[in-house]
Amino acid sequence: MSTPVTTHVEDTTPVRPSPLVKRVFGEPRFHTDGDIAAIAFSADGSLFSIDEAGVLRHWAQDGTQLARHFLSDLETLWCFSAGAKVLASGNDDLLLWDVKTGQLLRRIEQPSEQQSWVTAIAFSADGTTVVSGHDDGKLRFWDTAAYKFVGEIAAHPRKGIAAIAFSPNGEFVATAGEDLSVRVWDAETHKPVAELKSHTDRIPALTWSPDSTLLISAGWDTSARVWRPPQADPLMLLNSHADQVVTTAFSPDGKYLACADSDFDIHLWLDAVIAVRGPVLRGHNDEIRCLAFSPDGTKLASAGADRVVHVWDVRDGKLIAGPNPRGRHAIAVIPGSPLRLASSGAANVRVWDVESGDEVAPTNLCSAFSVAASPDGKWLGVGGTDYFTQLWDAADGHLAASLEATKPPVGFVTFSPDSKVLAHTSPADGLVWLWTCATGQPDMIIVEAADACTLETVAFHPNGKWIACGGVDYMSTCERDGAVCIWDVTTKEKLFTYDTGVTSLAFDPQGKYLAGAGLDDAVYVWDAETQHTVFVFGGHQQNINVVVFDPTGSYLLSGGDDGTVRAWDVLSGRHLVARAFDCPVQSLAFSPDGKYLFCGNSNTTCYQVEFKKFLEE
């Protein structure tokens, strides 16, 4: 076997379409195919969303899609009524839809002499009236039962209307114009109540407090402003946001004000009048376009251009549904007959029969941050969101042991090649614990396993004596971005260190090479004996989440946030193929015979792919 030379391989190979996926395991929870324009909770706590392309979706509280209806792709605006009973859409006309059935109730056409583009929509709290704002500055009122025009206001003459909000008590309607003013009107008489001028840039959103006394305006001038109409001056400027505040929402009980900004963060305010701050909710990676509180006020849903509905518990500021709130979607192949696939993508670990696609035991065991199966198929290790890794008998699903870490969550779980030892990480304290599976007792603790870096990944060498521990150095000590340390578990000594930050590690089956997913969107390959860098592979356009060797050791694969899985020939370092999938790939695993490749996706699904077809030109 010839030894490859050290080189940096720049990949310019065009990405080829994904091969046909043999089977999909799981459902894309809270994930859509298009940018999300509006969301709303129903009275039973389920959730509705509408894509900009006109796809209406009904979601269970755990993110399972209950129904989907295609409405229309001709509208540019969408707005739910309170309780998500009726949906309004607009372009040059106003359309009303039944949310439960997805059926069109009525197209409300404007008189030819009043033709103008709809730029904003809002429902009254009782749903009996819908108002449309237009690019000519007109505000038009419509009766939703009779589908008739009931009046209009020249709210912002010759300037378009950017936002509208009805007060919950039904007495007032507020408008924000492209003239940078906010105006409040009597909803019954249509007479002016107040003019509020203070913003210096566009005002994309308005919301009232539940008691109808406070009005919040979101501005592209870094602030959300708190008003008490008809007072002309703001009570408070909420200035902790990014350059633009894009949308706002009040909880039904008035305890929380949510403001989303252009940094894709959501700021919670506990008292808007005196600017008491709550948690900042971070997790979106693109523009947030809509917010909605649950009927009991404890949950906040947010969505937008990243095409994922996020659901937060506002009491502690934690993400509870949407993108895997526990981190990377982990998968594990359980060897044996039948061959099974375990996934951490849902609320609890799910297990499927690979051949039939049926969900089988031991499934729905517990919540998981990570998951791993022993090479002999006897054990299933579930790294918890709490202090424990649960060690389950993979045959009958009984709990064999609860292995306690020092700090939650358990970040990564893996087994030794002989299936006798389980290793798990505690990212918060940098410890790696090694446990004897038969007894459930700790055998060894490695302190500062990744040389004072956070612990992102561990991998056993095929000899069972070495373990590689990799992590990230967020403080950039020693002018590095992280480290990979190789330990001898028999002597408890650190053998050597690579000053390279990684998110995933894998040894090839022969134990000659160690591969790591670098933080610079490159894959590193080191000679495990000489410690030399053999290859540095480029090609990914975003973060690399996982690296894995096939069972023969001939191929090295990587998957990343750019939605691609790439394959290299291990001996030559030649890039073989890049396959594009429809969402970020967060984990990869092979069947023991190498016939199938499994992808754990960010949308919580798992793909089964025939590896031979994957490699075909």
Side-chain angles (χ1 to χ4, degrees):
M1 181 187 299
S2 61
T3 302
V5 295
T6 301
T7 181
H8 183 96
V9 180
E10 290 291 347
D11 172 46
T12 57
T13 307
V15 176
R16 299 186 182 93
S18 168
L20 292 177
V21 174
K22 179 179 176 65
R23 179 173 280 122
V24 178
F25 301 93
E27 308 83 24
R29 297 170 186 259
F30 280 133
H31 286 67
T32 69
D33 301 319
D35 296 4
I36 301 171
I39 50 177
F41 280 94
S42 62
D44 63 5
S46 63
L47 192 69
F48 288 91
S49 69
I50 181 74
D51 297 5
E52 286 188 347
V55 180
L56 174 66
R57 303 172 195 267
H58 187 195
W59 308 95
Q61 294 186 38
D62 66 356
T64 303
Q65 186 172 280
L66 302 175
R68 182 179 65 176
H69 305 283
F70 175 73
L71 307 187
S72 169
D73 59 1
L74 301 178
E75 278 63 54
T76 57
L77 287 174
W78 299 90
C79 177
F80 286 98
S81 67
K85 295 179 180 179
V86 179
L87 176 65
S89 63
N91 44 37
D92 53 354
D93 290 320
L94 188 67
L95 288 78
L96 299 180
W97 309 81
D98 181 273
V99 172
K100 185 176 181 180
T101 65
Q103 297 298 308
L104 178 64
L105 297 173
R106 180 64 63 93
R107 175 185 293 273
I108 304 175
E109 298 183 3
Q110 300 181 71
S112 57
E113 67 274 10
Q114 295 179 334
Q115 285 290 327
S116 58
W117 198 257
V118 179
T119 57
I121 306 171
F123 281 93
S124 61
D126 60 9
T128 60
T129 304
V130 62
V131 291
S132 55
H134 298 257
D135 60 359
D136 60 2
K138 297 287 182 64
L139 183 69
R140 297 194 171 103
F141 293 74
W142 311 87
D143 185 308
T144 57
Y147 307 116
K148 68 178 183 179
F149 172 73
V150 292
E152 73 175 21
I153 301 172
H156 300 267
R158 295 179 298 280
K159 293 289 185 179
I161 294 178
I164 310 170
F166 258 105
S167 62
N169 63 11
E171 294 182 10
F172 307 109
V173 61
T175 60
E178 300 295 356
D179 56 4
L180 311 187
S181 71
V182 175
R183 291 170 181 166
V184 181
W185 312 87
D186 186 295
E188 184 67 28
T189 66
H190 300 175
K191 292 182 179 180
V193 174
E195 183 172 23
L196 314 175
K197 290 187 174 182
S198 178
H199 280 286
T200 59
D201 208 334
R202 191 171 189 270
I203 308 162
L206 298 168
T207 191
W208 290 86
S209 61
D211 62 5
S212 302
T213 62
L214 300 178
L215 177 65
I216 311 299
S217 57
W220 283 5
D221 51 9
T222 77
S223 74
R225 306 192 180 211
V226 184
W227 312 82
R228 181 174 281 127
Q231 295 180 22
D233 296 322
L235 301 178
M236 179 61 65
L237 274 64
L238 305 177
N239 284 328
S240 297
H241 309 96
D243 291 345
Q244 299 176 345
V245 184
V246 293
T247 188
T248 65
F250 249 115
S251 63
D253 56 11
K255 290 183 178 179
Y256 302 97
L257 170 67
C259 300
D261 67 21
S262 53
D263 273 353
F264 320 140
D265 296 336
I266 302 168
H267 295 251
L268 292 179
W269 299 90
L270 307 183
D271 190 321
V273 174
I274 58 175
V276 178
R277 300 177 185 176
V280 178
L281 312 181
R282 295 187 170 96
H284 283 278
N285 57 30
D286 209 332
E287 181 184 356
I288 301 168
R289 296 179 180 169
C290 44
L291 301 170
F293 277 94
S294 61
D296 65 3
T298 63
K299 299 179 182 66
L300 174 69
S302 56
D306 57 6
R307 304 183 176 188
V308 185
V309 178
H310 296 56
V311 182
W312 315 82
D313 188 320
V314 293
R315 295 166 294 186
D316 58 13
K318 297 295 180 62
L319 180 69
I320 57 176
N324 188 347
R326 296 166 298 280
R328 192 160 60 204
H329 176 193
I331 59 173
V333 174
I334 306 175
S337 182
L339 187 68
R340 289 167 292 168
L341 177 69
S343 161
S344 70
N348 292 326
V349 170
R350 300 178 69 183
V351 179
W352 295 275
D353 181 318
V354 170
E355 187 62 32
S356 68
D358 296 332
E359 198 162 351
V360 295
T363 195
N364 201 35
L365 297 174
C366 57
S367 62
F369 194 93
S370 52
V371 64
S374 62
D376 63 3
K378 181 178 181 179
W379 306 108
L380 181 66
V382 179
T385 56
D386 53 12
Y387 288 86
F388 295 92
T389 289
Q390 308 288 2
L391 183 62
W392 299 86
D393 186 299
D396 60 15
H398 81 262
L399 181 62
S402 293
L403 315 177
E404 186 173 3
T406 50
K407 291 184 179 181
V410 177
F412 196 88
V413 180
T414 192
F415 287 89
S416 61
D418 62 6
S419 302
K420 294 181 179 180
V421 176
L422 178 147
H424 73 193
T425 67
S426 183
D429 58 19
L431 302 180
V432 171
W433 293 67
L434 277 71
W435 303 80
T436 300
C437 295
T439 63
Q441 296 299 311
D443 183 61
M444 178 180 176
I445 301 175
I446 305 176
V447 181
E448 291 192 356
D451 200 19
C453 299
T454 65
L455 271 173
E456 307 295 325
T457 179
V458 294
F460 272 102
H461 189 279
N463 64 19
K465 298 179 181 180
W466 297 354
I467 188 169
C469 308
V472 178
D473 187 351
Y474 289 104
M475 302 302 292
S476 296
T477 57
C478 304
E479 297 183 353
R480 63 182 180 181
D481 60 6
V484 177
C485 298
I486 312 298
W487 295 82
D488 188 317
V489 298
T490 59
T491 64
K492 301 182 180 180
E493 295 180 351
K494 182 164 59 176
L495 301 179
F496 49 88
T497 299
Y498 300 111
D499 286 327
T500 302
V502 296
T503 57
S504 178
L505 289 169
F507 282 101
D508 80 298
Q510 288 72 41
K512 180 172 179 58
Y513 301 118
L514 173 64
L519 304 184
D520 54 357
D521 304 338
V523 176
Y524 289 80
V525 181
W526 299 284
D527 188 302
E529 296 178 357
T530 68
Q531 305 173 26
H532 294 154
T533 302
V534 180
F535 295 120
V536 181
F537 297 135
H540 282 281
Q541 302 303 309
Q542 295 183 53
N543 296 335
I544 303 173
N545 297 316
V546 59
V547 289
V548 64
F549 287 91
D550 83 301
T552 70
S554 302
Y555 305 103
L556 171 63
L557 278 70
S558 60
D561 283 346
D562 58 3
T564 66
V565 175
R566 295 175 177 268
W568 288 270
D569 180 278
V570 173
L571 288 181
S572 67
R574 182 170 65 92
H575 182 266
L576 300 175
V577 69
R579 299 295 190 188
F581 291 85
D582 54 2
C583 61
V585 178
Q586 297 185 330
S587 54
L588 296 169
F590 275 97
S591 59
D593 59 7
K595 183 178 180 181
Y596 296 118
L597 171 68
F598 299 91
C599 305
N601 307 316
S602 68
N603 68 0
T604 73
T605 64
C606 306
Y607 290 161
Q608 178 187 4
V609 176
E610 292 187 35
F611 188 50
K612 182 179 180 180
K613 290 184 178 180
F614 179 93
L615 292 176
E616 289 176 353
E617 293 294 331

